[in-house]
Amino acid sequence: VPSRPRSRCRMEREGGGGSLFFRGLQNRSHEKMKLRTRKSTLYLSQQKSTGRGGDLLGENIYLVLFTIALRICNCFLVQTSFVPDEYWQSLEVAHHMVFNNYGYLTWEWRERLRGYTYPLIFASIYKILHLLGKDSVQLLIWIPRLAQALLSAIADLRLYSLMKQLENQQVARWVFFCQLCSWFTWYCCTRTLTNTMETVLTIIALFYYPLEGSKFMNSVKYSSLVALAFIIRPTALIPWIPLLFRHFWQEQRKLDLILHQFLPVGFVTLSFSLIIDRIFFGQWTLVQYNFLKFNVLQNVGSFYGSHPWHWYFSQGFPAVLGTHLPFFIHGCLLAPKRYRIFLVTVLWTLLVYSMLSHKEFRFIYPVLPFCMVFCGYSLNNLKLWKKPALSFLFLSNMFFALYTGLVHQRGTLDVMTNIQELCYNNTNISSASVLMMMPCHSTPYYSHVHHPLPMRFLQCPPDLTGKSDYLVEADIFYLNPLKWLYREFQNDSTLPTHLIIFSILEEEINPFLISNKYERTAVFFHTHFPERRTGSHIYVYERKLKGKLNMNMKF
């Protein structure tokens, strides 16, 4: 038997306590080491199950990079115009905020119906570009859209993460597929519209909403995002009314929810909005109240068109869903009861918007992600027809997405490149001026020119005085375009150097063009579906005179 070290033997002879202490310390150290190993194993398994181990935004980094890359491609493959608000209520306002020596604010801003919170995002981008000396017109056009594309990509990933928690990865993949291949999402998600930001915030807020099976529910976070969506666009609250009511009904500590979560969040976000608008309007303004007063209570929006009450059910909603519609209906029949709140949200939103006379496709865009949940659930339950269904969904939506993104209504953006060339490649720019004889706000404005070029378009502010025979400038013009031109430009010195018109107007004003020596210099395709005031092509006319003209355009 080998002899033990003397020090150790002495400890045992002098008392067994030392040996017991040593052994106990050794055993305790060993237990701690095993406990730490066990804890690490559990932690790593939890990370693996939630997909957060070394990943980005809680998901696999390759999935994140793929989604961002797809939305960037999406951004560059949308080269058409949708509605005037994507420029006039965001980029034009931001340009005016940063480069206030020239720019234009529509009547909504004079009446303080819009808030500066959303345009401030793009104004910050413009200001950074300006300070860096990189405020070229192309960067001013594309950087805001790329920023919106990035936010939309984050929302897509949050929808995928949510469904992975509520169901499983397989269902989440089908919902994600439906979201990415939706033609209307492709068409809208990179546009600088308040509806787009409203949709982004709605999806991210839903990720934190207390749903059965959700692991990231957080009342403060989701209510903060809903409040932010509300100050950007007050009607963003409409889809959330059923969801907020459900949360309140199921919450046991109702008073605590209101006093310690909803009210503080509402107070902070509304104060934030008030301060921003106070800075830029120069006076205290509650734009959310003004917005609801004009558009809901006074129904001023009907001035820009009205539709029958059933329009969203008979045309708007089916068009927005497109070929997803049969899968949405099928998914509604199959989905578990806990998704009824999503269906209630969709139906509630359609019903509320149906009560307003002015209707647009983009108004119901925020409920489209709710519909994708049912579409994904439908695909997950298909057995025999899954591959044909996937091919049908992908190809049909790709056709509509590419056609609407690259072909339909592209002329009003393409013509701005002609104006840019006029500004930056023309030696006689000091004498140049442009008149756009088109339906008002058909094109972007200074955000797509970035040069103090004298420009004019036909005005169309609504009647805020209650006159029964009120007509806007655009309506007066289209009653008799030739008469309007001769009355407006009685002096040759006030004639603009360039006219921009839709092809449908050319024949009617041809005598004016000939008598004042205007020649067509450019033609841009616009749409295969011309309307009463919108032609298939856009024509650019330039006044050809010898010598240098002194043009003082009337405004």
Side-chain angles (χ1 to χ4, degrees):
V1 179
S3 60
R4 281 173 277 187
R6 187 171 182 176
S7 59
R8 179 79 176 273
C9 294
R10 187 181 296 118
M11 287 176 63
E12 291 183 2
R13 284 197 305 268
E14 292 176 355
S19 176
L20 291 173
F21 174 78
F22 181 82
R23 289 177 183 174
L25 188 64
Q26 188 178 25
N27 291 338
R28 198 175 303 159
S29 175
H30 183 63
E31 288 176 4
K32 284 185 178 180
M33 182 181 67
K34 288 168 55 176
L35 182 61
R36 281 196 298 268
T37 304
R38 193 178 299 118
K39 183 178 179 181
S40 300
T41 304
L42 289 172
Y43 179 67
L44 288 173
S45 65
Q46 184 181 9
Q47 280 188 322
K48 186 175 180 180
S49 67
T50 57
R52 300 180 68 184
D55 292 339
L56 187 62
L57 294 174
E59 293 300 335
N60 183 281
I61 191 169
Y62 296 108
L63 179 65
V64 175
L65 294 177
F66 165 77
T67 308
I68 293 174
L70 180 69
R71 287 309 180 201
I72 290 175
C73 292
N74 185 169
C75 179
F76 288 113
L77 289 176
V78 174
Q79 302 174 16
T80 56
S81 61
F82 180 23
V83 290
D85 280 10
E86 62 184 299
Y87 315 112
W88 292 88
Q89 306 300 343
S90 55
L91 300 185
E92 296 301 331
V93 181
H95 193 277
H96 185 271
M97 292 166 70
V98 178
F99 311 101
N100 55 10
N101 58 328
Y102 60 101
Y104 189 89
L105 294 179
T106 59
W107 68 272
E108 293 99 326
W109 298 91
R110 294 192 294 270
E111 297 294 330
R112 301 189 295 278
L113 303 185
R114 305 278 184 170
Y116 279 95
T117 305
Y118 185 55
L120 185 60
I121 299 172
F122 306 119
S124 302
I125 295 173
Y126 284 177
K127 190 64 177 179
I128 293 171
L129 291 173
H130 178 62
L131 293 175
L132 295 175
K134 301 295 183 181
D135 54 325
S136 66
V137 64
Q138 292 302 321
L139 288 180
L140 294 183
I141 293 172
W142 288 106
I143 295 296
R145 290 198 55 200
L146 287 170
Q148 189 65 68
L150 178 61
L151 292 172
S152 295
I154 294 172
D156 295 335
L157 290 164
R158 281 291 177 246
L159 181 62
Y160 172 78
S161 299
L162 175 66
M163 293 311 301
K164 194 165 64 171
Q165 295 172 47
L166 299 180
E167 293 291 337
N168 53 56
Q169 193 169 28
Q170 184 176 349
V171 175
R173 285 174 178 172
W174 296 127
V175 174
F176 191 59
F177 170 80
C178 291
Q179 172 73 2
L180 294 186
C181 78
S182 165
W183 81 269
F184 195 74
T185 299
W186 179 277
Y187 187 57
C188 293
C189 72
T190 65
R191 297 184 185 274
T192 51
L193 280 165
T194 53
N195 309 92
T196 303
M197 182 58 79
E198 175 190 352
T199 304
V200 166
L201 293 173
T202 295
I203 296 175
I204 301 175
L206 199 63
F207 178 77
Y208 296 107
Y209 180 78
L211 291 164
E212 182 184 349
S214 176
K215 300 175 183 177
F216 293 94
M217 57 182 69
N218 189 310
S219 298
V220 173
K221 287 185 179 180
Y222 99 77
S223 58
S224 299
L225 291 165
V226 172
L228 181 58
F230 172 75
I231 66 174
I232 289 176
R233 188 173 181 85
T235 51
L237 193 62
I238 292 174
W240 279 97
I241 290 176
L243 293 162
L244 290 169
F245 181 78
R246 174 188 176 274
H247 183 195
F248 177 77
W249 183 261
Q250 294 184 344
E251 179 64 41
Q252 294 182 350
R253 303 172 62 184
K254 292 180 172 57
L255 192 62
D256 181 70
L257 178 68
I258 294 175
L259 295 180
H260 296 95
Q261 296 183 37
F262 286 173
L263 286 181
V265 165
F267 175 77
V268 171
T269 52
L270 195 60
S271 299
F272 176 71
S273 173
L274 284 169
I275 292 171
I276 290 176
D277 292 329
R278 172 67 177 83
I279 293 171
F280 292 102
F281 281 123
Q283 61 185 24
W284 293 107
T285 305
L286 189 61
V287 295
Q288 291 77 23
Y289 169 75
N290 293 341
F291 182 90
L292 294 172
K293 175 185 173 185
F294 273 76
N295 290 285
V296 178
L297 301 179
Q298 298 181 358
N299 200 22
V300 176
S302 61
F303 179 81
Y304 294 104
S306 59
H307 299 81
W309 68 268
H310 57 78
W311 185 84
Y312 279 120
F313 292 96
S314 60
Q315 299 179 50
F317 187 63
V320 166
L321 267 180
T323 53
H324 282 80
L325 182 59
F327 300 96
F328 168 74
I329 297 173
H330 182 235
C332 289
L333 299 175
L334 295 176
K337 290 184 179 179
R338 66 174 177 270
Y339 294 119
R340 284 181 180 175
I341 185 60
F342 288 177
L343 182 58
V344 169
T345 299
V346 173
L347 294 176
W348 162 263
T349 304
L350 295 178
L351 285 170
V352 172
Y353 276 119
S354 295
M355 290 187 238
L356 302 177
S357 57
H358 180 62
K359 301 175 177 65
E360 295 187 36
F361 294 109
R362 63 189 173 104
F363 291 169
I364 59 173
Y365 176 36
V367 300
L368 192 56
F370 294 87
C371 302
M372 295 301 107
V373 172
F374 296 102
C375 295
Y377 210 87
S378 170
L379 289 177
N380 185 66
N381 284 273
L382 288 179
K383 303 300 180 185
L384 297 176
W385 297 94
K386 182 169 287 188
K387 287 186 178 180
L390 292 175
S391 300
F392 170 71
L393 266 181
F394 177 75
L395 293 176
S396 60
N397 279 275
M398 184 176 67
F399 169 77
F400 287 119
L402 294 178
Y403 179 78
T404 56
L406 294 174
V407 180
H408 182 59
Q409 295 185 170
R410 67 168 298 136
T412 50
L413 289 182
D414 289 341
V415 75
M416 300 308 291
T417 60
N418 185 272
I419 299 178
Q420 293 164 17
E421 293 172 1
L422 173 65
C423 294
Y424 296 101
N425 299 327
N426 191 351
T427 56
N428 295 324
I429 183 59
S430 60
S431 62
S433 56
V434 177
L435 171 61
M436 301 173 182
M437 293 187 292
M438 313 165 83
C440 65
H441 306 124
S442 292
T443 67
Y445 217 45
Y446 284 107
S447 65
H448 283 56
V449 176
H450 195 47
H451 192 282
L453 173 73
M455 295 194 295
R456 180 183 174 183
F457 65 95
L458 301 176
Q459 302 282 331
C460 58
D463 176 32
L464 303 178
T465 60
K467 294 180 180 178
S468 58
D469 57 346
Y470 177 79
L471 285 176
V472 298
E473 183 181 39
D475 290 336
I476 296 172
F477 169 80
Y478 279 104
L479 286 175
N480 194 328
L482 195 60
K483 180 181 178 181
W484 185 91
L485 284 168
Y486 281 124
R487 185 182 68 247
E488 193 73 14
F489 301 106
Q490 298 178 9
N491 190 339
D492 285 354
S493 63
T494 61
L495 285 169
T497 59
H498 293 75
L499 300 176
I500 300 176
I501 63 171
F502 277 115
S503 54
I504 201 169
L505 190 65
E506 183 185 44
E507 184 177 353
E508 193 166 357
I509 66 169
N510 196 48
F512 177 84
L513 298 174
I514 295 173
S515 63
N516 289 284
K517 298 179 174 56
Y518 282 102
E519 296 180 9
R520 191 198 300 172
T521 57
V523 177
F524 298 96
F525 170 79
H526 183 62
T527 180
H528 290 114
F529 305 98
E531 297 177 357
R532 188 166 57 94
R533 295 181 178 181
T534 304
S536 60
H537 291 75
I538 293 176
Y539 296 157
V540 178
Y541 276 85
E542 182 179 355
R543 196 172 186 219
K544 300 291 186 179
L545 291 177
K546 293 182 180 180
K548 191 173 181 180
L549 293 172
N550 180 22
M551 300 298 177
N552 298 311
M553 192 176 175
K554 290 175 65 177
F555 283 89

